[in-house]
Amino acid sequence: MTIQPQDPGARSAGSLDQRSSLIEPNLRAEPPLAPVRPAQRVPTASSISTTPASIWHHDRDISWFGPGLYGNDTACGRTLTKTLVGVAHRTLPCGTLVTFRYEGVTLTVPVIDRGPYVSGRTWDLSHGACVKLGHCFSGSIDWHLASHS
């Protein structure tokens, strides 16, 4: 939104006179005011990645994500939809397979995004995964890293 000055004589006619020059913003000489940091940390090896795949773990606080984010790209290059099946984890590499078990249903899903962004949580299921597991709420679940056989 542009606010017009009160004085009509101060308004631009939309043209430049011959003494004016345009400067390209990307050619500025001064350094940026603050250091530019990447939006996300580069994933590093995590203690979770050394856990044997056959051992089931119990997580008391897992949730799911999706509403308000559909149509956005995930950190792993997928477009988030209601049907995309996967999980978000802060450090595991994209594509790492994780198996979840809840009330007799077992589902193996890939890591598709970074997160969760709630302190203390390790996993966020996508909407597609939570529907398949019947676990579209914050609560307990069992999990293990899937074997690569």
Side-chain angles (χ1 to χ4, degrees), residues 102-113:
Y102 178 71
E103 293 190 350
V105 179
T106 302
L107 180 67
T108 300
V109 299
V111 172
I112 60 166
D113 206 359

Side-chain angles (χ1 to χ4, degrees), residues 24-49:
E24 293 292 329
N26 60 348
L27 298 178
R28 69 178 193 200
E30 71 276 0
L33 298 176
V36 178
R37 297 186 318 223
Q40 294 184 359
R41 291 182 292 131
V42 174
T44 58
S46 162
S47 60
I48 200 169
S49 63

Side-chain angles (χ1 to χ4, degrees), residues 12 21 27 31 45-46 53 55 57 66 81 86 92 101 111-112 124 140 148:
S12 170
S21 61
L27 298 178
S46 162
I55 297 175
H57 302 274
T81 65
L92 286 175
R101 176 176 65 187
V111 172
I112 60 166
D124 259 352
S140 297
H148 296 285

Side-chain angles (χ1 to χ4, degrees), residues 88-99:
H89 188 271
R90 285 185 187 90
T91 59
L92 286 175
C94 294
T96 300
L97 296 178
V98 185
T99 302

Side-chain angles (χ1 to χ4, degrees), residues 51-73:
T51 305
S54 61
I55 297 175
W56 283 99
H57 302 274
H58 185 74
D59 191 322
R60 293 183 300 198
D61 190 20
I62 187 171
S63 189
W64 65 283
F65 68 107
L69 301 173
Y70 300 129
N72 293 342
D73 290 337

